[in-house]
């Protein structure tokens, strides 16, 4: 498996390695986002829990790697990258596009006989609300307008032509993958699911978030926070605390019913 100089695989980043971690939390960024989206989280985690942030190709330290524009293929690749981590309980947190990807990965892990400890889906309604989109077909100005609408992207990067040329290709590729994706009916996952959303999110209603309850055979909970689509930026300490509380003590793989 291809690795980085830090010893992580090319798909996963650890800001704080925990050699004897009792459990792991895998975090999947939003469209156009990278592993650095979760850089402030490890300092807030208990000593037994290790965070692995997924690094999609085409951004940050994988800028030279070609983006993946097939969502199912991306889910397959991330699932494969997690295989070495399945010797311990593993929870999944995904925001926006990362939530859809996290669900697809949880389904794939279930097919392999592994039940995640928990699935956290943030800022994205349940798969039954997914509709085709055309943002990826817009010109650069149209793409920038969508990013400004959602917030969460530094205006300096959007205003500077050189920085914009670096940012937009991965954003467009991720939008293409997600907007052309057609979720397939899959059995509910066997782990608890928690939905998280900003109360002013223009893309994720609380009703749409509650429909995630239909995608688990275990418990479902909904958490709301002040803010819009990128509410995480303002309340990450609270979100991390809520994630840790939901996970509770580490449990062995597949101990869940």
């Amino acid at each position: 498996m291809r690795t980085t100089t830090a010893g992580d695989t090319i798909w996963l980043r650890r800001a704080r390695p925990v050699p004897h971690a009792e459990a792991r939390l895998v975090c999947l960024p939003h469209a156009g986002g990278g592993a650095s989206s979760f850089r402030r989280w490890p300092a807030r985690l208990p000593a037994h829990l290790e965070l692995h942030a997924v690094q999609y190709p085409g951004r940050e330290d994988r800028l030279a790697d070609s983006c993946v524009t097939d969502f199912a293929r991306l889910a397959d690749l991330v699932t494969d990258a997690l295989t070495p981590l399945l010797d311990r309980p593993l929870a999944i947190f995904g925001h926006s596009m990362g939530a859809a990807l996290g669900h697809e990965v949880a389904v794939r892990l279930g097919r392999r006989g592994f039940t995640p400890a928990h699935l956290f889906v943030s800022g994205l309604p349940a798969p039954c609300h997914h509709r085709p989109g055309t943002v990826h077909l817009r010109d650069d100005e149209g793409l920038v307008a969508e990013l400004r609408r959602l917030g969460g992207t530094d205006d300096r990067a959007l205003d500077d032509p050189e920085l914009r040329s670096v940012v937009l290709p991965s954003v467009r590729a991720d939008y293409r993958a997600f907007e052309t994706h057609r979720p397939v009916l899959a059995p509910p996952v066997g782990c608890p699911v928690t939905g998280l959303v900003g109360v002013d999110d223009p893309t994720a209603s609380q009703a749409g978030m509650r429909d995630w309850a239909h995608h688990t055979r275990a418990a479902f909970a909904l958490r709301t926070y002040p803010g819009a689509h990128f509410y995480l930026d303002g309340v990450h300490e609270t979100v991390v605390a809520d994630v840790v509380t939901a996970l509770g003590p580490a449990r062995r793989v597949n101990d869940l019913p």
Side-chain angles (χ1 to χ4, degrees):
M1 179 177 290
R2 185 180 169 192
T3 60
T4 68
T5 54
D8 293 333
T9 72
I10 198 66
W11 284 92
L12 301 170
R13 300 290 176 274
R14 290 176 300 173
R16 188 199 65 169
V18 183
H20 302 293
E22 297 174 8
R24 297 177 172 115
L25 175 64
V26 173
C27 294
L28 296 110
H30 58 280
S36 66
S37 301
F38 300 97
R39 65 188 179 282
R40 294 181 293 176
W41 285 39
R44 300 285 172 182
L45 294 176
H48 72 273
L49 187 58
E50 183 178 64
L51 187 148
H52 294 251
V54 173
Q55 186 74 295
Y56 310 136
R59 70 216 65 203
E60 298 185 352
D61 60 348
R62 297 193 66 188
L63 191 61
D65 294 345
S66 299
C67 294
V68 179
T69 57
D70 182 300
F71 201 77
R73 172 65 175 157
L74 183 60
D76 288 340
L77 290 169
V78 172
T79 303
D80 289 343
L82 298 185
T83 300
L85 306 182
L86 303 184
D87 60 329
R88 302 174 199 181
L90 180 147
I92 299 172
F93 182 103
H95 178 63
S96 196
M97 182 192 79
L101 193 58
H103 175 247
E104 293 279 348
V105 169
V107 169
R108 282 163 171 73
L109 290 176
R111 290 171 181 161
R112 299 184 185 187
F114 181 90
T115 303
H118 206 111
L119 173 63
F120 298 92
V121 287
S122 169
L124 185 79
C128 59
H129 296 279
H130 184 76
R131 299 289 182 273
T134 59
V135 172
H136 68 284
L137 297 176
R138 298 180 185 177
D139 61 16
D140 285 355
E141 291 302 325
L143 203 56
V144 167
E146 176 66 8
L147 295 180
R148 293 192 195 282
R149 183 180 76 89
L150 295 176
T153 304
D154 193 329
D155 281 338
R156 291 171 297 182
L158 300 179
D159 293 336
D160 184 289
E162 187 172 349
L163 290 176
R164 183 191 291 196
S165 69
V166 174
V167 170
L168 291 190
S170 62
V171 174
R172 188 181 301 282
D174 288 352
Y175 267 85
R176 178 180 178 185
F178 183 60
E179 291 183 325
T180 60
H181 173 57
R182 301 293 178 268
V184 296
L185 291 177
V189 297
C191 64
V193 173
T194 296
L196 308 92
V197 65
V199 293
D200 297 318
D201 191 332
T203 68
S205 69
Q206 292 184 39
M209 294 297 300
R210 288 192 185 93
D211 282 336
W212 278 105
H214 303 302
H215 294 270
T216 175
R217 301 193 303 276
F220 172 79
L222 178 65
R223 300 278 184 267
T224 60
Y225 303 88
H229 190 61
F230 286 98
Y231 73 95
L232 288 171
D233 293 339
V235 294
H236 81 276
E237 294 177 4
T238 302
V239 172
V240 172
D242 287 347
V243 167
V244 170
T245 298
L247 290 177
R251 286 182 284 185
R252 297 307 307 168
V253 177
N254 290 338
D255 276 353
L256 293 168

